[in-house]
Amino acid sequence: MARPPRAGALRAPLATRSTSLHPGAWWLWALGLATAASRTTNPLLLGLLIVVAGYVVAVRRTNAPWARSYGAFLKLGLLVLGIRLVFAFFLGSPVPGTHVLVTLPEVPLPDWAQGVRVGGRVTAEGMVFALYDGLKLATLLICVGAANALANPARLLKSLPGALYEAGVAVVVAMTFAPNLVADVQRLRAARRLRGRSDRGLRGVLQVGLPVLEGALERSVALAAAMDARGYGRTARVPRAVRRTTAALTVGGLLGVCAGTYGLLASEGAAFGLPVLLGGLVLALAGLALGGRRTVRTRYRPDRWGVRAWLVTASGVAVAAALLVTDADLDPPAVPLTAPQLPLFPAAMILLGLLPAVIAPAPSPVRKSAPREGAPQGRGEWGYLPARRAWGSEQPRHSRSLRRNSEGQPVTSTPEEPTK
């Protein structure tokens, strides 16, 4: 008789080097949410996508440097939304409206600038249209920020096919630049506040920006030296026929993907769009497989694509597919000015994006023991940090405790050594 599964077996494990989720699954999940966001301008659905992405990031990100960049993407989204509203306010909107909010003095423009105006009437319909449009772009940025906060860029680079290794290095370096830049800015601003100096204003920005630039240059030099020491750019010799076949398959596959995508988006080519797209994908994958023979590198402990990675990817694909095939009205009109409605089926499918918050491995917490009387706060019983550190966290290493004798002089000793 088979035993029933234990309750603990259904829970998501703690994220370690062997049980952590594949970084490609996080990117596919986030791209699914971004695809869904690109299909609608309904502010209710876009807000639901932002909530889903934010909740998954809040419960599944680690303490790694790249995980701290999500707040910067949120601020970037708000900035984009604000810029879109400001442009619509001062430069007008292509949407006509009857509800005039304010009338600005209009600047006369020459004849060659017809269709462009500065100032004039500002209508509620035009501002609502700009709000919907800017919120869509902000949601796309937030979904990309969720992938940056959850996926390890170094592990993602290691999982790329050999033919895309050089391009993948450039992409990963570009992706890691933003999180490291945000971490450097936060660290320098905190250091200035601790010294009693202001970190606001033009002077504060300049005094913070120069050390950040210096650190970026030092990091780029160290990265270049590490890549050169590991033989970056070295390729193997392959026959000329294999190189030509690889180029033909790759170019033909990409052209097939473009033609199939155009056929799916156009109303006339829906019949042949899907077969051409699938054929292009097969040719492109074959070209990548042959192109990987030029890369002479090995993979140490490759990441496994397990059941949880498939489920996380499927949740993002389901959200995108639901908004692609739904018959509901996903673009509420700005004219006439009406309140947007929440379509139930797309909203219910967007909630499937919360699946990674349940099945993805949880970040390992830092184990803390109760401090003994007289021990420093935040350390263990003997004044040490916990022996086990969370995978991906940046906790300092063990250090010897600093004690004082009866005369108040510091005495360095270990817990096993009695203090005289």
Side-chain angles (χ1 to χ4, degrees):
M1 183 176 180
R3 295 182 180 179
R6 297 178 300 174
L10 301 178
R11 299 176 181 175
L14 294 179
T16 60
R17 183 61 185 82
S18 58
T19 63
S20 59
L21 197 68
H22 197 282
W26 285 123
W27 269 100
L28 292 177
W29 168 80
L31 290 177
L33 297 185
T35 303
S38 66
R39 297 291 298 176
T40 179
T41 56
N42 192 321
L44 301 179
L45 295 179
L46 294 175
L48 190 59
L49 286 170
I50 294 175
V51 170
V52 167
Y55 180 78
V56 174
V57 170
V59 299
R60 284 299 180 262
R61 68 175 176 178
T62 62
N63 295 326
W66 60 82
R68 305 170 189 171
S69 62
Y70 184 70
F73 279 92
L74 283 176
K75 297 177 181 178
L76 181 60
L78 292 176
L79 178 62
V80 168
L81 180 59
I83 292 175
R84 183 67 180 88
L85 292 175
V86 169
F87 277 20
F89 186 83
F90 290 102
L91 302 181
S93 176
V95 177
T98 57
H99 298 77
V100 180
L101 299 178
V102 66
T103 302
L104 301 176
E106 188 171 354
V107 179
L109 298 177
D111 296 337
W112 55 265
Q114 292 182 0
V116 180
R117 67 180 180 88
V118 178
R121 296 192 312 163
V122 179
T123 61
E125 289 84 356
M127 296 302 295
V128 169
F129 177 78
L131 175 64
Y132 292 170
D133 197 25
L135 187 59
K136 176 197 288 190
L137 183 55
T139 307
L140 292 174
L141 292 174
I142 290 173
C143 292
V144 174
N148 275 278
L150 294 171
N152 188 333
R155 292 175 53 207
L156 181 63
L157 171 63
K158 188 172 65 173
S159 303
L160 289 177
L164 299 178
Y165 181 66
E166 287 79 6
V169 169
V171 173
V172 170
V173 170
M175 287 191 305
T176 55
F177 175 76
N180 289 328
L181 184 65
V182 172
D184 289 346
V185 171
Q186 292 177 350
R187 176 175 53 84
L188 291 171
R189 292 183 63 183
R192 288 184 60 84
R193 287 194 298 266
L194 289 175
R195 295 185 177 96
R197 300 177 182 176
S198 175
D199 58 344
R200 300 182 181 277
L202 180 59
R203 182 178 180 183
V205 171
L206 292 177
Q207 293 184 354
V208 170
L210 291 178
V212 169
L213 179 60
E214 182 182 358
L217 292 175
E218 292 180 354
R219 191 159 43 243
S220 63
V221 172
L223 177 62
M227 293 168 63
D228 183 64
R230 289 169 173 82
Y232 174 76
R234 184 179 54 184
T235 57
R237 294 183 178 180
V238 295
R240 181 178 299 178
V242 175
R243 294 200 303 268
R244 293 178 177 177
T245 305
T246 301
L249 289 175
T250 304
V251 174
L254 293 179
L255 291 177
V257 169
C258 295
T261 304
Y262 177 78
L264 290 177
L265 295 177
S267 58
E268 296 82 4
F272 68 87
L274 185 59
V276 173
L277 176 61
L278 294 178
L281 287 176
V282 172
L283 293 179
L285 292 177
L288 292 178
L290 285 178
R293 299 175 57 180
R294 297 180 64 250
T295 303
V296 286
R297 67 186 184 96
T298 58
R299 295 181 181 178
Y300 175 69
R301 298 174 66 183
D303 294 313
R304 298 180 180 178
W305 191 282
V307 177
R308 298 182 186 276
W310 282 113
L311 292 176
V312 170
T313 303
S315 65
V317 173
V319 174
L323 271 73
L324 286 172
V325 303
T326 184
D327 296 332
D329 187 10
L330 301 180
D331 299 320
V335 180
L337 195 61
T338 56
Q341 302 294 327
L342 179 64
L344 296 181
F345 175 72
M349 295 301 295
I350 288 175
L351 293 179
L352 288 178
L354 293 173
L355 189 62
V358 180
I359 64 174
S364 302
V366 180
R367 292 167 40 176
K368 296 181 180 180
S369 56
R372 195 178 59 176
E373 183 179 358
Q377 295 292 331
R379 296 179 179 265
E381 181 180 0
W382 298 104
Y384 283 83
L385 289 169
R388 180 183 177 184
R389 296 188 296 164
W391 180 79
S393 61
E394 292 186 342
Q395 297 291 341
R397 299 183 180 275
H398 297 178
S399 58
R400 304 184 70 185
S401 59
L402 186 63
R403 302 183 178 181
R404 298 182 181 274
N405 55 16
S406 58
E407 300 179 357
Q409 298 178 353
V411 176
T412 304
S413 62
T414 60
E416 292 78 5
E417 300 175 358
T419 305
K420 298 183 180 180

